[in-house]
Amino acid sequence: MLNAKYLEIKRNQIDIFIIVIQRLLETRMKSHVSMYYCDQKSCENLYYSTDDDDLYFYNGKKSEKIAKEVYSLYSIDFDNKQVLYSVEDDDKYTLYYQKGTKDAVKVEDDLGSISSARIYDGKDIYFINEENELKYAKIKGAKVGDVKKIADDVESYLRSYKKGYAFVSDVNEKSSGDLYLAYNGKVKK
């Protein structure tokens, strides 16, 4: 049997996959793993979901279930052990933030859809709702500050760009829209 502790990590998918499988075998999970995400430095921190849509966090020693019936996983910050995911109930979605195995924090609920949601630099949450509004919340350790709207008429997904996220807004018949940058809870053209 392979021992992940002595396996030299190379930055290709086969080596990462071998490490992930070894770590999952070490946790002796009874459920089937449907998706996994691990940091590409050492695969020491690992998030994975099972066939029953439960989300687990593996810290290099043990696995712990952190959420049930996850609808979608949007963003993972491995350096800060943070995750952003949604749960669906009666065609409405609730966006949650969680740090490691601490209790999940509701970012916003009663959402018709979430087209994009991201954690930036372990400090900020940005997401686009069904009304094409870009919303922002400050991360405060394992908690989240108040959510505020920082842009309207957002017509694209959030794309990483230098310091923050780029997005397109102000699309109309005469224009394909303008490019904006969201950083530190503010938006500039």
Side-chain angles (χ1 to χ4, degrees):
M1 184 175 229
L2 291 173
N3 187 337
K5 293 176 185 170
Y6 301 107
L7 186 62
E8 181 182 354
I9 298 171
K10 296 181 183 170
R11 298 231 177 209
N12 68 46
Q13 290 298 327
I14 294 170
D15 287 345
I16 294 292
F17 182 73
I18 289 169
I19 292 169
V20 168
I21 296 303
Q22 175 61 25
R23 304 252 170 156
L24 293 177
L25 289 172
E26 288 173 359
T27 65
R28 294 173 177 79
M29 292 303 302
K30 305 229 186 288
S31 299
H32 293 109
V33 173
S34 58
M35 300 284 278
Y36 70 89
Y37 313 87
C38 73
D39 66 271
Q40 293 191 357
K41 295 175 189 166
S42 66
C43 222
E44 193 68 26
N45 296 305
L46 171 70
Y47 288 90
Y48 63 95
S49 59
T50 57
D51 290 341
D52 52 1
D53 296 327
D54 292 340
L55 182 63
Y56 290 80
F57 175 69
Y58 176 74
N59 67 2
K61 295 180 179 130
K62 69 175 188 168
S63 287
E64 190 170 330
K65 184 189 293 188
I66 61 172
K68 294 180 182 179
E69 300 178 6
V70 171
Y71 178 79
S72 187
L73 184 60
Y74 295 100
S75 185
I76 297 173
D77 180 331
F78 285 105
D79 292 337
N80 295 296
K81 298 179 183 135
Q82 299 169 318
V83 65
L84 202 53
Y85 61 88
S86 66
V87 173
E88 185 262 340
D89 185 27
D90 292 330
D91 294 327
K92 292 292 184 181
Y93 303 91
T94 302
L95 184 64
Y96 288 97
Y97 160 79
Q98 194 160 355
K99 183 169 179 71
T101 58
K102 296 186 190 302
D103 290 340
V105 176
K106 185 187 308 180
V107 177
E108 188 156 288
D109 62 358
D110 203 31
L111 296 163
S113 68
I114 304 166
S115 63
S116 188
R118 300 283 182 259
I119 296 171
Y120 180 74
D121 201 24
K123 300 174 185 171
D124 304 312
I125 295 172
Y126 295 92
F127 66 97
I128 302 170
N129 66 13
E130 73 279 3
E131 296 172 4
N132 293 338
E133 298 170 328
L134 177 59
K135 294 200 168 186
Y136 164 83
K138 184 77 172 163
I139 295 173
K140 301 173 181 178
K143 302 200 182 293
V144 175
D146 293 336
V147 174
K148 67 179 184 176
K149 179 175 71 168
I150 59 173
D152 286 310
D153 302 320
V154 177
E155 294 293 332
S156 67
Y157 292 95
L158 299 169
R159 303 284 184 223
S160 292
Y161 181 76
K162 296 182 182 177
K163 288 187 172 185
Y165 289 104
F167 63 94
V168 174
S169 186
D170 302 331
V171 175
N172 59 42
E173 327 167 324
K174 297 177 183 179
S175 168
S176 297
D178 294 317
L179 187 62
Y180 290 85
L181 181 64
Y183 175 70
N184 203 20
K186 296 180 175 66
V187 172
K188 70 178 187 177
K189 204 171 186 178

